[in-house]
Amino acid sequence: MPDLLRVENLRVAYHNRQPQETIDWAVDDVSFSLNAGERLGFVGESGCGKSTLGRASMRLLPSATRIEGKVSFEGKSVFDLNPLQLRQFRGEAVALVFQDPMTRLDPLMTIGDHCLETLLSHQFQLSKKEAKDKAIAILEGVRIPSDRWSQYPHEFSGGMRQRVAIALALLLDPKLIVADEPTTSLDVTVAAEILQELTRLCRERDLALLLISHDLAMVGEYCDRVAVMYQGKMVETGNTQAILSNPQHHYTRSLLAAALHIQVTDEEEQEIKHNRAVQNPVKNSPLLEVKDLKQHYVLENSFLQQLFSQEAAKTIKAVDEVDFTLYRGEILGLVGESGCGKSTLSRTILQLVAPTSGSVKWHGQEISHLKTADFRLLRRQMQMIFQDPLACLNPLMKVGEAIADPLFIHQLATPSEARQKVEAMLERVGLTPVEEYYRRYPRELSGGQQQRVAIARALVVQPELLICDEPVSMLDASVQTQVLDLMRELKDEFDLTYLFITHDLWVARFLCDRIAVMNAGKIVEIGETEQIFTDPQHPYTQTLLSAAPLLDTQSPKIAL
């Protein structure tokens, strides 16, 4: 019986016209096989060729791409499929789950329309009612309730959009799912549920899974085998436990070291934090005080619903009676599942959306009712770093111009002064040589470099508070560690205070002094980091901790 998927000596280059001897191969001589029901995890740094490999296997790369080697599915060459066969192959045989769900979802179509279109374009025999019933069952399996059937993608959180994308991949009962960073934007509880559902399907339906991820702990928990990629090549592959407990290649060892650096709390670092708190008690200096803050949204009924239904409009309590104090010089982590209100809370604090009610005080001054013009003066002191740095950088502006832009907005520097400040900031965040990065465009940088630009842009106006909304969730383990270490250094150097939003509990433990746990719009528990991890009081906090994937750090074979 042939392998379900077989890749032999695959090479992929995006620039087809280069001479043979100078070709820059994005994937270079990669071979592997995958059987029905098997789960294979591909790990490696950003740009190593993982995603290119997955797309090449489904013939989703641009026509100008140069491809050598073979890809076969159930013994048939994928590269020889005609258009009709290829259409059936994509979706019915192999489904792809993208990292960014917005590239998969049409903003002009409801979630229900997406599901019906997918099902009815492949399974013509289904009636519309049968298709809807099947789609609702799949959606509820990934925790999307049926009452959101008629909503649009922009009305969902990032994590909920990813759940929809995963549901769309499962609709046609494929034999293989290629999942490209499928849980990057999901909190640990939902990520665990999604991956448990995928692995259950693998067992029950002999469904194979090709999981592309930078999360070693997740791959270690859910995959049978691991393949490590570096600079386009597969440098190591084998049984998951063997790879994690006894890595052979130096790059695999460096990935493990980076992941464990974040996961394991170093006792000396905790002692330094304790000494700093004793020498300079931050709790004497409240920087930000939030009291009884609410952000409620009303889902208005359509005209026909208002005409024929007696049901009142539904109210979503995105932020509900939130109280906390952020002290000068500390790092407060805000953790919780996707859609719990973390990002809405940050935007409400920044007055990007007006609160329904409640109080926000900055240095003791009430700011929740300030007019836009008055609040603009305070905005320099509160800067934000977003999850996707590419989305917050103007693609038409060079890196140097993007970092200088806030200086001109707040009228803080002349062009020559701005140039000096930008160059100094580029050097400080490790983007050297400065002249080269100053002239580049954001799309020409890796994910980690883009995030360093976003950090430099936020710091150039010398703020007091940085609100960081999932700033490292899209980065691989090694780059994630570099960015987090940089943020810790910058905090001390620039006397910064962080409100750090994350769904990664190990990142929160590594970085934060205190942690606030948020669920369904409320902060259900807040306390010192070690107390939250060693003695969680709220059942939801206990659930979060039990769902967090953990690398086996006890194995004596890991030589780092």
Side-chain angles (χ1 to χ4, degrees), residues 4-5 32 34-42 95 97 170 175-180 182 194-202 206-212 218 222-225:
L4 184 69
L5 178 70
F32 69 92
L34 188 60
N35 296 316
E38 228 183 350
R39 303 184 298 275
L40 173 61
F42 269 86
V97 179
L170 296 174
K175 298 178 181 178
L176 166 64
I177 288 183
V178 179
D180 189 355
I194 293 298
L195 287 167
Q196 286 166 7
E197 177 69 9
L198 285 175
T199 50
R200 181 184 67 81
L201 289 168
C202 288
D206 273 341
L207 176 71
L209 177 65
L210 182 61
L211 180 61
I212 298 168
M218 185 180 73
Y222 293 102
C223 291
D224 307 310
R225 291 189 293 133

Side-chain angles (χ1 to χ4, degrees), residues 4-31:
L4 184 69
L5 178 70
R6 188 171 188 82
V7 175
E8 300 176 77
N9 308 114
L10 185 66
R11 304 176 89 188
V12 180
Y14 286 102
H15 301 290
N16 196 19
R17 298 181 180 178
Q18 291 176 302
Q20 179 72 26
E21 62 274 9
T22 62
I23 292 179
D24 183 14
W25 296 103
V27 173
D28 191 4
D29 197 26
V30 170
S31 300

Side-chain angles (χ1 to χ4, degrees), residues 152-329:
Y152 291 87
H154 71 269
E155 298 178 279
F156 287 70
S157 68
M160 294 189 77
R161 286 196 293 262
Q162 189 63 290
R163 289 184 233 170
V164 171
I166 292 171
L168 290 171
L170 296 174
L171 278 175
L172 299 175
D173 299 316
K175 298 178 181 178
L176 166 64
I177 288 183
V178 179
D180 189 355
E181 301 279 9
T183 59
T184 294
S185 58
L186 302 182
D187 57 273
V188 290
T189 51
V190 177
E193 289 170 8
I194 293 298
L195 287 167
Q196 286 166 7
E197 177 69 9
L198 285 175
T199 50
R200 181 184 67 81
L201 289 168
C202 288
R203 290 191 302 271
E204 293 180 359
R205 308 183 192 182
D206 273 341
L207 176 71
L209 177 65
L210 182 61
L211 180 61
I212 298 168
S213 178
H214 63 253
D215 190 332
L216 280 170
M218 185 180 73
V219 168
E221 186 166 340
Y222 293 102
C223 291
D224 307 310
R225 291 189 293 133
V226 174
V228 182
M229 288 193 70
Y230 179 61
Q231 294 184 347
K233 294 181 178 292
M234 186 188 295
V235 297
E236 188 166 359
T237 185
N239 174 271
T240 298
Q241 191 55 47
I243 294 291
L244 293 181
S245 62
N246 190 21
Q248 300 299 307
H249 196 273
H250 68 88
Y251 178 69
T252 310
R253 292 196 292 270
S254 70
L255 276 182
L256 279 166
L260 293 173
H261 178 54
I262 292 173
Q263 178 176 291
V264 179
T265 304
D266 187 81
E267 293 181 1
E268 293 181 359
E269 291 174 347
Q270 293 301 315
E271 185 65 26
I272 291 172
K273 283 185 179 180
H274 174 72
N275 292 339
R276 185 183 299 149
V278 171
Q279 295 166 9
N280 183 24
V282 295
K283 292 191 177 181
N284 290 342
S285 307
L287 186 70
L288 182 72
E289 298 170 87
V290 175
K291 182 70 175 176
D292 197 28
L293 192 65
K294 299 179 182 179
Q295 186 58 261
H296 295 178
Y297 297 104
V298 178
L299 293 179
E300 296 184 0
N301 293 329
S302 67
F303 174 74
L304 290 177
Q305 287 174 317
Q306 294 177 32
L307 195 61
F308 296 108
S309 175
Q310 301 299 317
E311 292 183 8
K314 185 178 180 181
T315 299
I316 295 179
K317 298 180 179 180
V319 176
D320 194 28
E321 299 178 348
V322 166
D323 297 281
F324 71 89
T325 300
L326 181 59
Y327 298 97
R328 184 180 182 87

